[in-house]
Amino acid sequence: MYAQMVKTDAARVRSLDEMDPVERAFQERIDAGQKIEPKEWMPEGYRKTLVRQISQHAHSEIVGQLPEGNWITRAPTLERKAILLAKVQDEAGHGLYLYCAAETLGISRDEMYAQLHSGKAKYSSIFNYPTLTWADIGAIGWLVDGAAIMNQVPLQRCSYGPYARAMVRICKEESFHQRQGYDVLMKMVKGTPAQKAMVQDALNRWWWPSLMMFGPSDDASVHSAQSMAWKIKQNSNDELRQKFVDQTVPQAKYLGLTVPDPDLKWNEEKGGYDFGEPDWEEFFNVIAGNGPCNAERLNARKKAWDDGAWFRDGLTAHAEKVADRRASAKIAAE
Amino acid sequence: MMSSEWPLWEVFIRGQHGLNHRHVGSLHAPDAEMAINNARDVYTRRNEGVSIWVVKSSEITASAPSEKGPLFDPSNSKVYRHPTFFDIPDEVGHM
């Protein structure tokens, strides 16, 4: 999931009878499946939760470009390079759709950037792992984008209109991302034993961080319960993780790979796989900023922002100059 | 020079010849020309359009959600504005 452990400010989920008439009318619209649009009344908690979730989601798309960008210059063929460029460009687009959705809630994009760069806002834990080989690019498309799709498909039905609509566009493009990743790996497992070993190594390293993307079990979380009552969230973390495992294990088998989980076993009764618990200590450590690449990612983001300042200023100066010229030409003509 | 935030632009795309421009989203750009360039990159990477309009978000006047009743309720009672309101006998033929 690109947004992990989003807080709602709620101490507990209140019933309709406990709400004042305005909030009750709002909740009843959500219960009836209506979309909430930017200028309509909404509880402050709903607005803040959405800002946190959508901005975290946007930051993940933007930071997510970095591990993949690492391989653009080293892609094995020109075709793979063009495909990877298109994918990374899509991620920038996804970030933009999401920042714009968040901006309808009264926060500016520059404020969100500032929160990312100061470390106040988070992005998905998954992007703090390194991309060591070309197989990692395939594994990211297959596993990371696969896990993102699991989370993003239900978000198309989110109660907040601009977020739901951004999700529709994103989901269409994510499908390309996942398929290109799997395509990279299909090619590699048909290659030399060394290439196949490289794919297995990538799966070994990305499997558990991918399962962590959904976040720890949130069955007892008041924030999740509140987000579900607001229809910002539709499924529990465990539900989505189970779906992801059930979908992905057969795909690993097709590639002739071994999923690095000794507890993985088909459970006929539940019609799904039983699987081991991710290392949540590692997860919390990465979230806290101590993952293998946290510092590198944040520094790369800050550097891109700072190094681009002269260019942004130049474009602004040009726009002002043209506007001034137009204004004075108009006066001269009068 | 102090960096200032770029204005927000709303983007409208004509998907195919013969269709209306449709609102697809928004983006930031320093001026209209850059807004068109950015819209091309953000919203038409997969042949989604044949024409782009951009307009500054601040130039759009929108009806308020609270005006929904006064603006739109009056048409609810005027069902005779719909052709299906009138029963025309079958023998009259297509009308």
Side-chain angles (χ1 to χ4, degrees):
Chain A
M1 183 185 285
Y2 277 6
Q4 293 160 327
M5 307 182 68
V6 177
K7 293 217 166 70
T8 59
D9 295 345
R12 64 186 180 85
V13 179
R14 293 177 308 139
S15 70
L16 285 177
D17 293 334
E18 294 170 277
M19 296 174 186
D20 65 47
V22 186
E23 187 179 354
R24 188 186 167 124
F26 171 86
Q27 186 62 49
E28 281 170 346
R29 284 185 57 203
I30 293 207
D31 293 343
Q34 285 185 27
K35 293 274 185 256
I36 306 301
E37 296 297 340
K39 285 186 178 158
E40 294 170 343
W41 185 89
M42 60 186 77
E44 188 53 17
Y46 178 83
R47 192 188 70 81
K48 276 191 183 164
T49 302
L50 277 168
V51 167
R52 280 188 202 117
Q53 174 158 338
I54 301 173
S55 64
Q56 201 186 112
H57 197 158
H59 296 329
S60 300
E61 301 283 357
I62 296 301
V63 177
Q65 297 178 99
L66 298 170
E68 296 186 295
N70 187 31
W71 279 89
I72 289 175
T73 54
R74 291 179 285 162
T77 68
L78 191 56
E79 189 190 30
R80 292 288 183 199
K81 181 174 175 159
I83 292 170
L84 186 57
L85 266 173
K87 179 183 191 289
V88 173
Q89 192 187 11
D90 275 355
E91 308 295 1
H94 296 179
L96 285 178
Y97 310 151
L98 288 162
Y99 283 128
C100 284
E103 278 183 291
T104 62
L105 293 158
I107 183 169
S108 77
R109 193 168 75 187
D110 286 9
E111 277 176 79
M112 287 185 271
Y113 279 164
Q115 290 179 354
L116 171 66
H117 296 160
S118 74
K120 188 184 168 218
K122 302 286 178 213
Y123 55 89
S124 177
S125 56
I126 194 76
F127 300 117
N128 292 312
Y129 292 88
T131 42
L132 304 177
T133 71
W134 174 248
D136 287 15
I137 297 304
I140 286 181
W142 171 38
L143 299 172
V144 175
D145 290 302
I149 291 171
M150 276 301 159
N151 163 26
Q152 292 176 155
V153 166
L155 279 175
Q156 294 177 98
R157 287 178 283 116
C158 166
S159 62
Y160 190 57
Y163 192 27
R165 290 190 287 272
M167 245 41 252
V168 172
R169 294 185 62 85
I170 290 177
C171 283
K172 275 188 204 157
E173 298 175 353
E174 290 287 6
S175 177
F176 146 57
H177 296 178
Q178 194 185 18
R179 293 173 73 128
Q180 68 82 33
Y182 199 70
D183 186 65
V184 164
L185 299 182
M186 280 199 301
K187 187 88 183 175
M188 287 185 82
V189 295
K190 284 183 204 144
T192 64
Q195 284 172 315
K196 193 171 174 187
M198 206 180 263
V199 177
Q200 181 64 54
D201 172 61
L203 176 61
N204 293 350
R205 283 180 291 107
W206 289 95
W207 176 256
W208 292 109
S210 297
L211 294 196
M212 289 177 203
M213 283 176 72
F214 298 95
S217 179
D218 60 352
D219 292 344
S221 160
V222 65
H223 300 304
S224 284
Q226 179 62 71
S227 276
M228 283 194 191
W230 280 332
K231 293 198 183 156
I232 293 174
K233 193 179 163 80
Q234 321 266 350
N235 311 86
S236 79
N237 294 350
D238 285 335
E239 258 171 32
L240 292 172
R241 188 169 15 247
Q242 180 73 53
K243 262 180 98 171
F244 175 73
V245 171
D246 291 344
Q247 179 190 288
T248 309
V249 170
Q251 295 168 352
K253 279 190 184 147
Y254 181 84
L255 293 174
L257 303 174
T258 309
V259 174
D261 178 358
D263 297 324
L264 186 77
K265 212 175 122 202
W266 177 254
N267 181 331
E268 190 62 49
E269 210 172 301
K270 78 170 179 188
Y273 286 93
D274 290 332
F275 53 95
E277 194 71 23
D279 179 353
W280 293 114
E281 203 183 311
E282 174 183 322
F283 171 79
F284 286 113
N285 230 334
V286 174
I287 289 271
N290 306 318
C293 298
N294 292 58
E296 187 186 330
R297 300 287 184 245
L298 214 48
N299 287 339
R301 261 313 302 163
K302 280 191 255 186
K303 187 173 183 308
W305 179 249
D306 293 341
D307 290 356
W310 69 271
F311 184 66
R312 294 193 301 275
D313 288 345
L315 287 174
T316 304
H318 175 73
E320 281 166 2
K321 188 182 74 187
V322 172
D324 284 350
R325 266 192 204 151
R326 236 175 245 152
S328 46
K330 209 178 152 203
I331 291 166
E334 273 166 3
Chain B
M1 193 175 101
M2 284 289 291
S3 292
S4 55
E5 289 195 15
W6 289 343
L8 192 65
W9 301 78
E10 299 300 323
V11 180
F12 300 79
I13 307 267
R14 186 198 296 284
Q16 290 168 39
H17 289 293
L19 296 184
N20 286 321
H21 282 76
R22 247 183 97 186
H23 183 246
V24 293
S26 49
L27 50 75
H28 288 273
D31 57 25
E33 194 190 341
M34 282 301 295
I36 295 261
N37 285 338
N38 290 350
R40 200 271 315 245
D41 287 343
V42 179
Y43 292 108
T44 64
R45 290 197 300 282
R46 291 177 174 80
N47 299 321
E48 287 97 334
V50 294
S51 161
I52 301 173
W53 287 351
V54 293
V55 58
K56 258 191 196 161
S57 306
S58 59
E59 298 291 320
I60 290 182
T61 308
S63 64
S66 57
E67 291 172 315
K68 212 169 119 195
L71 284 177
F72 307 116
D73 285 354
S75 68
N76 284 345
S77 57
K78 299 173 181 63
V79 283
Y80 45 80
R81 285 175 170 170
H82 297 277
T84 46
F85 175 78
F86 305 94
D87 279 329
I88 303 293
D90 285 346
E91 48 268 46
V92 177
H94 179 73
M95 185 179 280

